[in-house]
Amino acid sequence: MSLLDGSSDTSAPKSRSPAPDDPEPPRKKRNNVSETLEEKQALLLTSEDPSPSAAADHAPTTEPAPSSFQPRCCPPAAGSTIVLCCHGGAKMAALAYNLGKREINQHFSVRNAKLLALGAALLISACHAVFWGYSSHGDDTCGYLISSGRFLGEKVWQPYSCMTHRYKAREATGCLRNQHVTFVGDSRIRQLFYAFIKILNPYVKEQGNKHENIPFEDSRENIRVDFLWYPEVNGSMKQCFLSLSESTSSKPQIVVAGAATWSIKMNNGSAESLAQYRINLTDIEPVLGKLADSSEVYWILQDPVHEPLLSESRRMITNERIDAYNEVAAGILNGTNRKSRSKIKIFSVSRLISEETIEQSLDGLHIPETSRDISAMILMNSYCNKIMKPIDGSCCQPAPPLTIIQKLGASFFALSIGAYVAISVIQRNKHRKNKMCTDIESGEEKKPATVSPAASALEVALFSFSKLGLLMAYFYFCDRANLYMKENKFYTHSSFFIPIIYILVLGVFYNENTKETKLLNRDQTDEWKGWMQLVILIYHISGASSFLPVYMHVRVLVAAYLFQTGYGHFSYFWIKGDFGLYRISQVLFRLNFLVVVLCVVMDRSYQFYYFVPLVSFWFMVIYGSLALWPQITQKKANANNIWYFGLALKFAFLLLCIYVLSRSQDSFQKIFSLWPISKLFELNGEVYEWWFRWSLDRYAVFHGMLFAFIYLALQKHQVLFEGKGEPLFSTKVSSVLLFFSVVSFLTYSIWASSCKNKTECNGMHPSISVVQILAFVLIRNIPGYARSVYSSFFAWFGRISLELFICQYHIWLAADTKGILVLIPGNPMLNIIISTFIFVCVAHEISHITNDLAQILVPKDMPALTKRLLCITLFFFILLFLSAVQH
């Protein structure tokens, strides 16, 4: 099976079995009657239905009646069919275990899980809607940005309900170009002023007279930032604000003000000083309010002090007095209350930040560098997010307006739901009329002889599109509307490795015997995809890309996915020789259906979901390599060995093309910049991202194709021993290969863990990642006992790996994977559990919808398939036209 293509037959055992003319390897026969009896006893004990009738069905006819024969045998060990005799208590425990398992499966089925997920999503959505409706800030996340939050770790502040973007100098200057910013206040405001301008220019030094005005100007971008020294709230400060509000040439777009500690110090913390502060601030409030009509005005509440470090001249500045002054300021200038007419914004978050960091202060009064840097970045987010619209800065960003394509997509889903409901009502009324007919002679009702016909293809399609429309509404509300909250990622080793250990334990616990024991059989590849996908999900949600050793190992997992793509598709085409249009259409539909729908609903380019374009591209490369003249298949090569030479030439030519393209980035980008190909591979108007993704694993698919050919050749010549419990090669060869595989696997991991430079390691990765992939394949398949079992837990996730990978972008992560979706605020662990549960259920349902629609929209009948393909082509041209119109 090609990796993540969602198809059910690509890697099916049939596609990997030898050709019909290849002899099957001999199998051992079991003639021992006692072993046969033991197997039947084991079957009796491990039956999913432990009822007496089920036991009777499985019991051999030659055994005595239950009253005379009571086997006391335990269930067989994993990978074995031989039971062990023991006491009757163990038998009862085994029966109880199977009965409990059956009851659990009955009540906790996938269908019930999806209903529970639906109920949870509706309830959570209602709670969030009510919360935003009654919140003091409404649905404006700016209020929460400047008033609340928590520390995720050192120097990492998380506002309540939204994400902050870390602005760099280029972005900050782009936002503040032709802008004027003014800071008014005391020495703490001066600290904030310097932290703010260091975002614009990191090389600025704090210099000059601290008790005077300090200007900053970027003449190239026409940015002006001033600090005005007004340490007390008095008439001088009022006159300053009057001048700013009446200025016509240099009226600031942002005003940041605050003061109180000088008043406390100069008046020795007297009650009269607090009363005068109240009078003065009340007098200033109308002037600030007028200024706020045309500017963003922030009043900074006073940060706490660290009293043990205060000098004698500052002992009167206590936290109790600071709290009293803050209460007065908040009461007079409370612009965060939506019922207030004032537009002045109370910046209280700096106080929360300093409460955690004030002990790092050098003198107990002035805030440490960590606090002021975070506060300055919050100020930048508060003003610039609505201008720059960064993906990972959801605070203060309004929901984006709907595009033409999104409106048409919503209309289509609404029509599908309406049509399905109408057809269902009509069918139900028709069924109700024909449900019973009256027997005139007896006066009794009896059922009609005819059976109601199965649902038509139109009904199935409308039902599937209706479900998909509801799911897409959930996607939109999660990651485009402001209904749900979002948070930034924060990496810690425990946030990555503890979930890894947890899923590893679950994967080992849920193990079963495989249906067949061939190398890379269907169960094993599903298992492989499953655990890799789970690791990648944990990698994404934990933000582990910042830790280079983890990043390098995850890069190997992505290469392994592509390796499976080459292996599975080459095996299918080589063995079956099926190069028909139906096969291509099925694979491409299953790969791309969900992504195309998300491009419409979420207003994102195709290349944004980079892995699907990558796998689709390589599938077409594999198809072209084998389908173009001369077509070479296993059957043709077996008839004449000269075709093996032709296949070798095709391999060599493919490798040469990959190498040439990888050496010329300009040529690569010119090829994929041609219209309409560019519409598939551009991201933000450039194809660089496509070049980076393609070149990073450019040899992985080729390695998979080559491995598949070598494996099938060895299998044809009966070099491999793939019986149950048998090592893959002879004992000596297996031991040597296993030793070198383990050494190679560990060597690569040591190298990846010692990587210091991501660019250099990425440069080596395409050529050497195959070492760890092949090492894993051999370690997993050489021992017979390892090849005979698989993890059903991992395999279940592997069957929906495509949907898991794509859905995570919007309903598990947030802000296009930059953040984390928050369904349950204030409880990160519970939030992860519930959001993961809903996310997995949605991915599983979308997998079923895709399979159902694939049967309808991609029929086997060639004339019907041709018409559908013409319609799909027309659909894409309409999308291109609408995309050009809206841009």
Side-chain angles (χ1 to χ4, degrees), residues 582-720:
Y582 171 74
R583 171 67 185 176
I584 302 175
S585 303
Q586 276 278 327
V587 173
L588 291 180
F589 180 87
R590 293 173 186 272
L591 273 173
N592 293 275
F593 174 72
L594 176 58
V595 166
V596 171
V597 172
L598 287 177
C599 288
V600 172
V601 174
M602 308 303 290
D603 188 29
R604 282 294 174 263
S605 61
Y606 179 64
Q607 181 57 34
F608 176 75
Y609 307 92
Y610 72 92
F611 193 79
V612 171
L614 198 61
V615 178
S616 300
F617 170 82
W618 283 114
F619 168 73
M620 294 306 297
V621 169
I622 298 168
Y623 175 82
S625 300
L626 297 177
L628 293 179
W629 183 88
Q631 288 186 2
I632 305 174
T633 62
Q634 187 183 57
K635 184 177 181 180
K636 186 182 290 187
N638 287 341
N640 190 341
N641 290 334
I642 193 64
W643 290 113
Y644 285 110
F645 178 72
L647 182 64
L649 290 178
K650 284 195 172 188
F651 274 136
F653 180 74
L654 175 60
L655 183 61
L656 179 63
C657 291
I658 295 172
Y659 177 78
V660 170
L661 284 176
S662 67
R663 300 298 295 179
S664 178
Q665 181 178 349
D666 292 338
S667 300
F668 182 94
Q669 292 183 341
K670 287 179 181 179
I671 293 173
F672 289 97
S673 295
L674 298 175
W675 191 91
I677 299 176
S678 60
K679 293 300 180 181
L680 296 177
F681 299 106
E682 281 184 351
L683 186 64
N684 300 323
E686 298 179 352
V687 295
Y688 174 77
E689 181 71 13
W690 167 240
W691 153 257
F692 173 76
R693 296 293 182 183
W694 178 88
S695 62
L696 204 54
D697 297 300
R698 55 186 177 270
Y699 298 120
V701 172
F702 175 81
H703 291 149
M705 296 171 64
L706 187 61
F707 179 82
F709 172 74
I710 294 173
Y711 162 66
L712 293 172
L714 293 176
Q715 188 184 64
K716 175 179 178 296
H717 292 88
Q718 299 184 7
V719 176
L720 306 177

Side-chain angles (χ1 to χ4, degrees), residues 436-688:
M436 291 298 203
C437 59
T438 303
D439 188 335
I440 300 177
E441 294 181 0
S442 62
E444 297 178 354
E445 292 183 340
K446 61 181 180 180
K447 294 182 179 180
T450 59
V451 180
S452 58
S456 65
L458 177 61
E459 290 180 82
V460 174
L462 288 175
F463 183 53
S464 297
F465 280 120
S466 299
K467 291 189 295 182
L468 186 62
L470 296 176
L471 293 176
M472 288 302 106
Y474 180 68
F475 274 73
Y476 182 85
F477 283 117
C478 283
D479 208 21
R480 287 296 175 270
N482 288 330
L483 178 62
Y484 300 111
M485 303 175 182
K486 304 173 179 66
E487 288 189 354
N488 294 90
K489 299 177 185 178
F490 177 66
Y491 174 74
T492 61
H493 292 321
S494 60
S495 66
F496 177 76
F497 288 104
I498 290 178
I500 292 292
I501 295 172
Y502 179 71
I503 64 166
L504 178 63
V505 172
L506 286 176
V508 172
F509 181 78
Y510 289 97
N511 66 85
E512 297 180 11
N513 292 330
T514 58
K515 297 177 182 178
E516 62 172 333
T517 56
K518 293 181 179 180
L519 182 141
L520 289 181
N521 56 71
R522 176 64 181 273
D523 291 332
Q524 190 182 131
T525 54
D526 284 343
E527 173 202 88
W528 191 7
K529 289 186 298 182
W531 70 257
M532 286 195 301
Q533 186 59 65
L534 292 177
V535 170
I536 290 174
L537 291 175
I538 295 171
Y539 165 83
H540 282 159
I541 201 167
S542 63
S545 59
S546 59
F547 186 48
L548 192 53
V550 173
Y551 168 82
M552 292 307 302
H553 281 86
V554 170
R555 290 262 36 102
V556 176
L557 300 188
V558 176
Y561 272 113
L562 294 172
F563 178 90
Q564 282 197 49
T565 296
Y567 176 86
H569 286 306
F570 177 87
S571 299
Y572 180 88
F573 289 130
W574 178 247
I575 294 173
K576 292 195 173 184
D578 179 10
F579 299 104
L581 186 60
Y582 171 74
R583 171 67 185 176
I584 302 175
S585 303
Q586 276 278 327
V587 173
L588 291 180
F589 180 87
R590 293 173 186 272
L591 273 173
N592 293 275
F593 174 72
L594 176 58
V595 166
V596 171
V597 172
L598 287 177
C599 288
V600 172
V601 174
M602 308 303 290
D603 188 29
R604 282 294 174 263
S605 61
Y606 179 64
Q607 181 57 34
F608 176 75
Y609 307 92
Y610 72 92
F611 193 79
V612 171
L614 198 61
V615 178
S616 300
F617 170 82
W618 283 114
F619 168 73
M620 294 306 297
V621 169
I622 298 168
Y623 175 82
S625 300
L626 297 177
L628 293 179
W629 183 88
Q631 288 186 2
I632 305 174
T633 62
Q634 187 183 57
K635 184 177 181 180
K636 186 182 290 187
N638 287 341
N640 190 341
N641 290 334
I642 193 64
W643 290 113
Y644 285 110
F645 178 72
L647 182 64
L649 290 178
K650 284 195 172 188
F651 274 136
F653 180 74
L654 175 60
L655 183 61
L656 179 63
C657 291
I658 295 172
Y659 177 78
V660 170
L661 284 176
S662 67
R663 300 298 295 179
S664 178
Q665 181 178 349
D666 292 338
S667 300
F668 182 94
Q669 292 183 341
K670 287 179 181 179
I671 293 173
F672 289 97
S673 295
L674 298 175
W675 191 91
I677 299 176
S678 60
K679 293 300 180 181
L680 296 177
F681 299 106
E682 281 184 351
L683 186 64
N684 300 323
E686 298 179 352
V687 295
Y688 174 77

Side-chain angles (χ1 to χ4, degrees), residues 398-436:
L402 291 173
T403 65
I404 299 173
I405 295 177
Q406 286 177 305
K407 292 177 181 178
L408 291 175
S411 301
F412 170 78
F413 286 122
L415 288 174
S416 298
I417 295 173
Y420 176 74
V421 171
I423 291 177
S424 298
V425 171
I426 293 172
Q427 292 288 353
R428 181 173 295 181
N429 291 336
K430 187 183 298 183
H431 178 68
R432 186 176 298 169
K433 291 179 181 179
N434 298 330
K435 187 175 182 181
M436 291 298 203

Side-chain angles (χ1 to χ4, degrees), residues 724-779:
K724 190 170 186 179
E726 294 180 314
L728 195 61
F729 302 95
S730 63
T731 304
K732 290 184 178 180
V733 174
S734 295
S735 300
V736 171
L737 286 177
L738 195 59
F739 172 77
F740 279 106
S741 298
V742 172
V743 171
S744 300
F745 189 90
L746 296 177
T747 301
Y748 183 92
S749 292
I750 293 171
W751 171 79
S753 300
S754 60
C755 244
K756 301 300 181 184
N757 187 295
K758 181 181 287 189
T759 303
E760 293 180 2
C761 293
N762 279 341
M764 298 179 64
H765 166 79
S767 302
I768 64 175
S769 59
V770 69
V771 173
Q772 196 164 42
I773 296 172
L774 291 179
F776 170 78
V777 172
L778 293 177
I779 293 171

